[in-house]
Amino acid sequence: MLSPFTERRRQACAHGQPGSAPDETEMVRILQATGRYQILRKLEARPIAAAPRPGYPLRAVILDTETTGLDARKDEIIEIGLIGFTFNEDGEIGDITGVYGGLQQPSIPIPADVTRLTGITDAMVLGQMIDLAAMRALIEPADLVIAHNAGFDRPFCEAFSSIFARKAWACSNSEIDWSARGYEGTKLGYLINQSGYFHVGHRAVDDCFALLEVLALAQGDNDQTPFAELYQASLRSRVRIFAENSPFDLKDRLKERGYRWSDGSDGRPKAWWIEIAEEAMDDELQFLRNEIYHWEDADPPIQRLSAFDRFRGRR
């Protein structure tokens, strides 16, 4: 039995095309038809629309930063990438309205591990400054700012410019149920590869374009795109419950349920805390009263959050 490539070559020769080979599209089709290959396509940047189409009245920005470290109180942004696009209330993505990528020289040499990860060197950022006007042109009209780790990016961005503090933020890592969509992880590299693409990662604009394609892709039986799910999540209120003065010997029970420790240095109560959907608040309070405090009238501190409040850094 002839292999698919051999059969294709035989057919080409039979049609008077000796030595001709299948074109790229046909090669992909042949390989996929064998069931033995998975094809990854290189991500291509979408073009900027000269005039955005009507029917997409809302604006969003996908944002990514590269920094000198992990602490927004002392480390600095060395690169920022922004992609602006339109969308509608149903979470359907329209057109690209603008793209900006800029480098910034930090006050210290870039650590070697950051250069290994990002490829950004001290020579590349020498004398470079992020264009605040170009950045503002995309951020100011945005109804939503999206980052794949908003808890990391938002504090850095707010330290860099106050324009980010007045915006609604969404996190494509934590506010989309990727496992329910069949993904094995939430890192951007996993999401891209499992979506059938590859790209050059850890440069800000490239990562933004990669995230846009993943957010726009509906796979399998789920007709709703990840972006539509993310937009709906951004509209819902969340609550943080602080298990203040909880018994020390029950800390493991709290950790098992998803509580995290706050040492009080960021202005929050010094306590174990959890962030949940508002509709789950009554059940969570009942858990605390029954299993932690053993007191029906226990009233732990509660903080309500919208997309304008979430993912802020320490104050």
Side-chain angles (χ1 to χ4, degrees):
M1 181 176 178
L2 297 177
S3 70
F5 277 118
T6 304
E7 175 62 20
R8 174 66 176 173
R9 185 175 293 275
R10 186 192 65 78
Q11 292 176 3
C13 291
H15 286 85
Q17 302 172 17
S20 64
D23 62 21
E24 183 179 284
T25 302
E26 183 66 3
M27 285 191 290
V28 169
R29 187 194 67 77
I30 292 170
L31 286 172
Q32 289 179 326
T34 68
R36 299 193 300 273
Y37 299 91
Q38 180 183 7
I39 307 299
L40 298 181
R41 293 172 170 81
K42 184 178 180 180
L43 276 167
E44 303 290 345
R46 297 190 185 192
I48 299 173
R53 291 170 290 170
Y56 301 92
L58 299 172
R59 299 256 181 151
V61 169
I62 292 177
L63 174 151
D64 185 53
T65 62
E66 305 296 347
T67 66
T68 57
L70 303 178
D71 189 342
R73 293 172 296 179
K74 63 182 182 67
D75 293 310
E76 303 169 63
I77 291 175
I78 55 174
E79 184 181 33
I80 192 166
L82 305 167
I83 295 177
F85 64 94
T86 59
F87 68 100
N88 62 22
E89 291 283 358
D90 294 325
E92 296 170 336
I93 294 174
D95 299 299
I96 302 295
T97 57
V99 177
Y100 174 72
L103 294 167
Q104 176 95 4
Q105 181 178 355
S107 60
I108 62 169
I110 298 174
D113 58 336
V114 173
T115 294
R116 283 194 297 270
L117 180 67
T118 66
I120 301 173
T121 66
D122 288 320
M124 291 169 60
V125 299
L126 183 63
Q128 297 291 316
M129 291 183 64
I130 290 171
D131 187 335
L132 295 178
M135 185 181 72
R136 187 177 296 272
L138 287 170
I139 295 297
E140 278 192 338
D143 300 288
L144 188 65
V145 177
I146 301 161
H148 197 58
N149 187 354
F152 175 85
D153 289 295
R154 180 170 188 170
F156 274 97
C157 289
E158 290 189 354
F160 186 78
S161 172
S162 62
I163 188 174
F164 292 101
R166 303 187 296 271
K167 292 299 176 181
W169 282 72
C171 179
S172 54
N173 187 318
S174 64
E175 294 188 286
I176 296 171
D177 190 348
W178 292 108
S179 63
R181 294 175 175 273
Y183 289 89
E184 296 176 3
T186 62
K187 287 187 176 181
L188 187 56
Y190 290 144
L191 300 177
I192 293 165
N193 289 160
Q194 286 193 253
S195 298
Y197 296 102
F198 72 92
H199 88 306
V200 179
H202 293 298
R203 290 305 303 271
V205 169
D206 294 328
D207 282 354
C208 289
F209 270 115
L211 180 56
L212 176 66
E213 294 306 323
V214 171
L215 291 176
L217 184 65
Q219 284 189 311
D221 298 329
N222 197 331
D223 293 332
Q224 185 188 52
T225 65
F227 175 70
E229 180 182 344
L230 180 62
Y231 176 56
Q232 290 174 9
S234 75
L235 299 175
R236 292 192 291 268
S237 178
R238 306 275 294 179
V239 294
R240 283 179 183 162
I241 302 177
F242 296 86
E244 205 169 29
N245 299 318
S246 58
F248 179 79
D249 59 351
L250 293 177
K251 63 181 177 61
D252 290 338
R253 180 71 181 95
L254 291 168
K255 289 171 67 175
E256 289 171 3
R257 196 170 173 91
Y259 282 74
R260 291 175 281 178
W261 175 251
S262 169
D263 62 7
S265 63
D266 55 2
R268 302 172 188 170
K270 186 177 181 179
W272 291 95
W273 65 277
I274 193 171
E275 183 177 308
I276 56 175
E278 189 167 25
E279 55 267 27
M281 181 177 68
D282 289 343
D283 288 342
E284 196 61 33
L285 289 174
Q286 200 61 47
F287 157 77
L288 290 174
R289 289 163 180 160
N290 292 344
E291 300 190 33
I292 302 300
Y293 295 115
H294 303 290
W295 179 33
E296 188 58 35
D297 293 329
D299 190 23
I302 295 171
Q303 180 184 19
R304 283 179 166 81
L305 303 168
S306 71
F308 290 90
D309 308 306
R310 297 194 69 203
F311 311 113
R312 288 187 182 279
R314 296 179 178 180
R315 297 291 179 180

